């Protein structure tokens, strides 16, 4: 496949924690490309460097050596402030334990990134409630996170991750804290974000149940890529052309690599879960 | 939304919120009362100077406050009258004296012998009797605030001042003294009988300026003539008296120390509770940082928390302090809390809360966004 400029590219990334005697090499030269419209799964044993890799891809830090480029912008040499702006504009994070803000209602959790971006309250509320409806949580808008089930919380977290419409979704063990049914539902949502909306979706997971949902799998061990498989489920030609159209639409909607909302699907993302 | 988060964060831990607010209330009440007492002292200590109705005071050299002075002889009076711009001059006696209550107990008082002709240094806020009643031999007037202390309760009560009989001919209200010795008003002529002041002499010569004459300019001209005496405008003498009582006696620094201590305790309480509340929420702040919120955004949440607590605490404290101040109106030590003082304390409270939030804010700067991943 051709590398489009919207891809998330890691080139020969090296990262070592600590110094001297205590130096722990976490990444020893990792290269990969995550493309729009595709779900990339990163697997590997505990301590192999998956989370570290995700942190680099999420503009949380820079590699010691090598390069990370997020939708055409390299993170190299960026100040903390610029990295933050990059996260705010381009990345949606989904965490294992949801990381919702406990003092905010469901819709307010989704509105938080919009507030940080500077959207006015009315518009943020409208967008948050629309997303809640799409995720089957319309009747939970005013609930606090602790009043929601695990599956509902993770769906809310995913809704928050895409509230500001980032082109990249990064998820670290998004299903690990959920039962099979809820895990499947969240995985399906994440897959739709890639396939139907043309986002880059990268998952880090041990969960084998996710395998049929992903397009490509990269296995890392001891800070190195040891295996690359996929596409596990080749997309149909029809889907592929829809996808290119979507990508075009996104590109047209915003010149800076951020997604526009033109590509958004209309119907609910989820219909039969509570 | 930062305001909403701040408010919800506070409400989520009502006990800590209450503890914070109570701490602020305690501190602000303390600051207000200390300030109010200081303001009360400032007004009280120079009250006699400011209410005497004079523009310029002539006094013995080295006089440090209105309550304690040397004596002037009659020539000062006539020399003052020769100065251009002088409308009138009054001889006034202000001197410590001994007061024997009807039950025999002794009290120290400050005798004020005013000038009936010009009315300068006459009692003010008279609630019973009249100024003219003081022209009668042995007639004196005291303040209601000190009636108990002086052992009198009504007109006609008899006491002794340095073994001479005196009769209560009136009462004032709210005429306080900074010293423990109440003012006892009488006419200049009566005062001569109770003191060692020679006829024609005085503790002070009080000068009224002709209309349009600047007190400062007049004081300068008087000073040129009265070279052995000291000449001050009323406002200069008032501030000298104030400074003497507030600073020299240590009353001022004690009050200011008390207020500062209140402020310090408040800052420590707010800083401590805000810090622990912030540390408990560090994971949520890290999530916001991971999403892309800047430290400014996080700081705003913490700062707003402290300002909300400060605002509520101040409001409660202002009500309490105002009630206490109002109830002090009938006590010898007045607590004065004019609106400007309350507003200033309000701003100070919010400023102290902002300072108190710095400890928590410092913690926010240590947040590592990668900590959201385990
Ligand atoms: N903050 C850190 N300081 C020091 N060493 C670290 C830090 N974070 C990770 N490491 C080390 O770096 C290596 C890679 O860690 P990483 O968290 O990326 O692994 P992982 O693949 O995500 O593991 P897991 O599946 O257990 O989450 C490990 O050896 C780990 O001990
Ligand atoms: Mg990990």
């Amino acid at each position: 496949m051709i590398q489009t400029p919207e891809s998330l590219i890691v080139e020969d990334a090296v990262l070592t924690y600590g110094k001297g005697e205590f130096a722990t090499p976490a990444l020893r030269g990792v290269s990969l490309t995550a493309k729009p419209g595709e779900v990339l799964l990163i697997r590997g044993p505990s301590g192999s460097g998956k989370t570290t890799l995700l942190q680099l891809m999420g503009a949380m830090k820079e590699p010691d050596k090598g390069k990370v480029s997020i939708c055409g912008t390299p993170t190299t040499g960026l100040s903390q402030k610029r990295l933050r702006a990059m996260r705010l504009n381009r990345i949606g994070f989904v965490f294992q334990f949801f990381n919702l803000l406990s003092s905010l209602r469901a819709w307010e959790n989704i509105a938080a990134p919009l507030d940080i971006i500077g959207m006015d309250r009315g518009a943020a509320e409208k967008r948050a409630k629309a997303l809640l409806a799409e995720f089957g949580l319309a009747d939970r808008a005013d609930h606090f996170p602790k009043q929601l089930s695990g599956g509902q919380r993770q769906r809310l977290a995913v809704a928050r991750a895409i509230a500001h419409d980032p082109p990249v979704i990064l998820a670290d063990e998004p299903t690990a804290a959920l039962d099979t049914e809820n895990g499947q539902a969240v995985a399906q949502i994440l897959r739709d974000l890639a396939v139907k909306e043309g986002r880059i979706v990268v998952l880090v997971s041990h969960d084998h149940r996710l395998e049929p949902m992903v397009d490509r799998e990269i296995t890392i061990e001891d800070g190195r890529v040891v295996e690359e498989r996929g596409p596990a489920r080749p997309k149909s030609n029809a889907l592929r052309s829809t996808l290119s159209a979507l990508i075009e639409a996104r590109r047209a909607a915003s010149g800076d690599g951020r997604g526009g909302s033109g590509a958004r699907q209309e119907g609910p993302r989820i219909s039969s879960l509570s | 939304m930062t305001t909403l988060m701040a408010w919800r964060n506070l409400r989520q831990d009502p006990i800590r919120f209450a503890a914070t607010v109570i701490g602020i209330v305690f501190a602000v009440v303390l600051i207000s009362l200390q300030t109010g007492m200081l303001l009360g002292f400032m007004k009280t200590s120079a009250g006699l100077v400011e209410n005497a109705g004079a523009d310029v005071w002539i006094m013995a050299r080295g006089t440090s406050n209105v309550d304690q002075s040397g004596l002037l002889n009659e020539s000062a009076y006539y020399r003052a009258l020769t100065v251009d711009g002088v409308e009138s001059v009054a001889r006034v006696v202000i001197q410590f004296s001994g007061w024997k209550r009807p039950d025999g107990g002794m009290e120290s008082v400050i005798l004020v012998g005013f000038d009936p002709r010009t009315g300068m240094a006459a009692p003010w806020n008279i609630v019973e009797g009249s100024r003219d009643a003081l022209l009668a031999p042995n007639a004196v007037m005291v303040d209601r605030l000190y009636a108990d202390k002086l052992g009198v309760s009504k007109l006609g009560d008899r006491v002794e001042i340095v073994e001479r009989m005196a009769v209560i001919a009136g009462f004032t209200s709210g005429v306080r003294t900074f010293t423990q010795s109440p003012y006892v008003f009488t006419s200049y002529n009566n005062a001569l009988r109770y003191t060692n002041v020679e006829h024609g002499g005085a503790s002070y010569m009080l000068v009224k300026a002709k209309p349009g004459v600047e007190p400062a300019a007049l004081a300068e001209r008087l000073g040129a003539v009265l070279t052995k005496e000291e000449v001050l405008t009323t406002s200069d003498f008032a501030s000298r008296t104030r400074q003497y009582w507030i600073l020299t006696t240590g009353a001022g620094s004690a009050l200011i120390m008390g207020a500062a201590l209140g402020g310090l305790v408040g800052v420590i309480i707010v800083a401590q509770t805000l810090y622990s509340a912030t540390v408990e929420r560090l994971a949520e702040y890290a999530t916001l940082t991971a999403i892309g919120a800047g430290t400014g955004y996080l700081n705003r949440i913490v700062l707003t928390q402290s300002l909300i607590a400060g605002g509520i605490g101040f409001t409660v404290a202002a009500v309490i302090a105002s009630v206490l101040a109002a109830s002090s109106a009938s006590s010898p030590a007045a607590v004065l809390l004019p609106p400007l003082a309350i507003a200033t304390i309000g701003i100070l409270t919010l400023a102290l809360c902002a300072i108190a939030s710095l400890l928590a804010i410092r913690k926010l700067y240590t947040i590592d966004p990668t900590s959201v991943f385990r």
Side-chain angles (χ1 to χ4, degrees):
Chain A
M1 218 189 254
I2 351 132
Q3 282 188 358
T4 62
E6 287 91 349
S7 295
L8 202 171
I9 302 161
V10 179
E11 273 174 60
D12 216 14
V14 174
L15 192 134
T16 304
Y17 289 106
K19 282 201 183 79
E21 219 183 312
F22 303 100
T24 313
L27 298 175
R28 303 168 190 261
V30 173
S31 298
L32 61 81
T33 301
K35 302 181 193 84
E38 146 186 293
V39 180
L40 173 67
L41 175 66
I42 297 171
R43 319 182 335 132
S46 182
S48 55
K50 304 182 296 296
T51 297
T52 305
L53 182 56
L54 207 63
Q55 287 168 356
L56 296 186
M57 297 170 86
M60 285 182 164
K61 58 175 142 203
E62 288 179 49
D64 299 337
K65 282 201 202 100
K67 192 177 138 183
V68 176
S69 164
I70 301 170
C71 306
T73 312
T75 62
T76 323
L78 292 189
S79 64
Q80 280 300 319
K81 199 173 160 187
R82 298 285 298 281
L83 285 175
R84 195 161 45 66
M86 187 103 120
R87 296 200 293 275
L88 188 56
N89 291 318
R90 304 200 173 167
I91 318 281
F93 290 104
V94 178
F95 309 97
Q96 179 174 354
F97 298 106
F98 327 131
N99 290 35
L100 295 166
L101 303 167
S102 62
S103 61
L104 297 185
R105 299 177 191 281
W107 76 264
E108 292 162 348
N109 261 282
I110 301 176
L114 301 175
D115 183 56
I116 296 169
I117 276 176
M119 188 184 281
D120 73 75
R121 196 183 154 97
E125 178 167 358
K126 211 170 141 217
R127 167 121 180 93
K129 292 199 166 157
L131 275 171
L132 280 173
E134 281 185 39
F135 282 78
L137 294 167
D139 55 341
R140 297 286 187 277
D142 289 329
H143 285 51
F144 288 96
K146 64 166 185 279
Q147 299 168 316
L148 300 175
S149 73
Q152 288 169 337
R153 283 183 211 184
Q154 196 61 306
R155 267 143 60 205
L156 176 57
V158 175
R160 180 181 65 183
I162 63 166
H164 51 305
D165 205 17
V168 181
I169 304 294
L170 303 178
D172 197 359
E173 300 284 3
T175 58
L178 302 176
D179 60 28
T180 304
E181 199 186 350
N182 280 305
Q184 290 286 329
V186 166
Q188 185 60 52
I189 289 172
L190 290 170
R191 178 164 183 78
D192 287 349
L193 294 179
V195 175
K196 292 189 182 161
E197 300 181 8
R199 296 182 210 267
I200 297 167
V201 175
V202 181
L203 309 178
V204 164
S205 185
H206 289 101
D207 193 344
H208 290 289
R209 296 168 301 185
L210 285 179
E211 279 163 28
M213 304 285 226
V214 305
D215 298 302
R216 229 148 35 91
E217 250 179 72
I218 286 178
T219 308
I220 63 173
E221 262 171 42
D222 202 16
R224 286 192 183 86
V225 177
V226 294
E227 197 187 346
E228 184 161 358
R229 270 201 308 186
R233 233 174 42 163
K235 297 172 192 108
S236 72
N237 279 340
L239 233 171
R240 205 175 274 281
S241 54
T242 327
L243 187 57
S244 343
L246 275 169
I247 294 168
E248 273 312 310
R250 278 184 160 279
R251 210 183 274 170
S254 60
D256 66 350
R258 283 201 54 206
S261 51
R264 191 144 323 288
Q265 66 166 39
E266 290 300 314
R269 291 164 201 268
I270 187 157
S271 43
S272 63
L273 262 164
S274 56
Chain B
M1 197 148 198
T2 47
T3 310
L4 177 74
M5 289 190 218
W7 172 240
R8 294 269 183 77
N9 286 355
L10 289 170
R11 274 218 349 224
Q12 233 174 25
D13 195 339
I15 294 184
R16 177 160 33 212
F17 187 19
T20 311
V21 170
I22 290 170
I24 295 169
V25 169
F26 169 79
V28 176
V29 168
L30 190 61
I31 293 172
S32 303
L33 293 185
Q34 302 278 322
T35 307
M37 277 204 271
L38 189 61
L39 293 177
F41 283 175
M42 284 172 75
K43 188 175 171 202
T44 300
S45 55
L48 189 56
V49 181
E50 287 176 332
N51 285 287
D55 294 314
V56 176
W57 290 60
I58 300 165
M59 62 201 77
R61 210 155 257 296
T63 302
S64 59
N65 65 88
V66 71
D67 302 301
Q68 298 163 320
S69 70
L71 292 177
L72 303 173
N73 55 35
E74 195 166 12
S75 73
Y77 176 80
Y78 292 109
R79 275 180 291 144
L81 276 176
T82 65
V83 173
D84 196 31
V86 170
E87 163 111 8
S88 56
V89 181
R91 287 176 269 236
V92 167
V93 173
I94 298 177
Q95 227 180 44
F96 275 92
S97 193
W99 172 285
K100 192 176 186 186
R101 310 195 316 192
D103 65 8
M106 288 300 298
E107 292 289 343
S108 154
V109 296
I110 298 174
L111 204 67
V112 180
F114 75 98
D115 177 50
R117 202 172 38 81
T118 61
M120 285 197 266
W124 65 99
N125 281 358
I126 297 171
V127 291
E128 273 179 75
S130 70
R131 202 170 90 184
D132 287 344
L134 294 179
L135 298 180
N138 305 326
V140 298
M141 191 179 280
V142 297
D143 197 89
R144 271 282 168 214
L145 292 168
Y146 307 105
D148 277 355
K149 178 180 165 81
L150 298 176
V152 297
S153 60
K154 56 182 188 307
L155 301 186
D157 280 354
R158 283 162 183 265
V159 297
E160 273 176 33
I161 299 175
V162 286
E163 311 204 331
R164 283 169 186 275
M165 203 258 288
V167 183
I168 300 294
F171 287 101
T172 59
S173 166
V175 175
R176 292 182 168 82
T177 171
F178 180 81
T179 65
Q180 286 303 298
S181 311
Y183 291 127
V184 174
F185 290 93
T186 188
S187 67
Y188 170 78
N189 284 330
N190 282 337
L192 293 183
R193 281 204 289 275
Y194 296 126
T195 59
N196 56 354
V197 181
E198 285 171 28
H199 188 86
S203 311
Y204 300 93
M205 301 295 174
L206 269 52
V207 180
K208 199 169 217 106
K210 283 202 171 118
V213 175
E214 271 296 308
L218 183 58
E220 206 162 302
R221 284 203 295 277
L222 283 161
V225 175
L226 295 148
T227 46
K228 285 203 299 263
E229 294 79 7
E230 200 160 358
V231 182
L232 292 177
T233 62
T234 292
S235 70
D236 284 349
F237 191 37
S239 52
R240 178 186 285 193
T241 296
R242 218 175 259 136
Q243 256 175 36
Y244 177 82
W245 286 125
I246 306 277
L247 299 181
T248 332
T249 63
S253 49
L255 288 171
I256 289 167
M257 288 279 285
L261 203 66
L264 188 68
V265 169
V267 167
I268 289 171
I269 290 173
V270 175
Q272 202 279 327
T273 55
L274 206 59
Y275 180 80
S276 52
T278 303
V279 168
E280 260 171 42
R281 279 178 193 281
L282 226 44
E284 295 198 354
Y285 290 118
T287 302
L288 286 168
T289 310
I291 290 174
T295 36
Y297 192 86
L298 306 188
N299 293 351
R300 216 148 58 225
I301 299 174
V302 170
L303 184 66
T304 308
Q305 275 175 237
S306 79
L307 295 183
I308 290 173
I312 294 174
F314 167 74
T315 307
V316 174
V319 170
I320 294 175
S322 300
V323 168
L324 291 176
S327 70
S328 80
S330 56
S331 89
V335 176
L336 291 186
L337 279 177
L340 183 66
I342 292 182
T344 308
I345 290 168
I347 291 165
L348 180 78
T349 306
L350 296 184
L352 290 178
C353 283
I355 290 170
S357 66
L358 290 179
L359 186 68
I361 282 174
R362 223 186 65 164
K363 190 75 191 169
L364 294 178
Y365 279 93
T366 66
I367 289 177
D368 174 6
T370 63
S371 66
V372 293
F373 290 116
R374 262 160 290 186

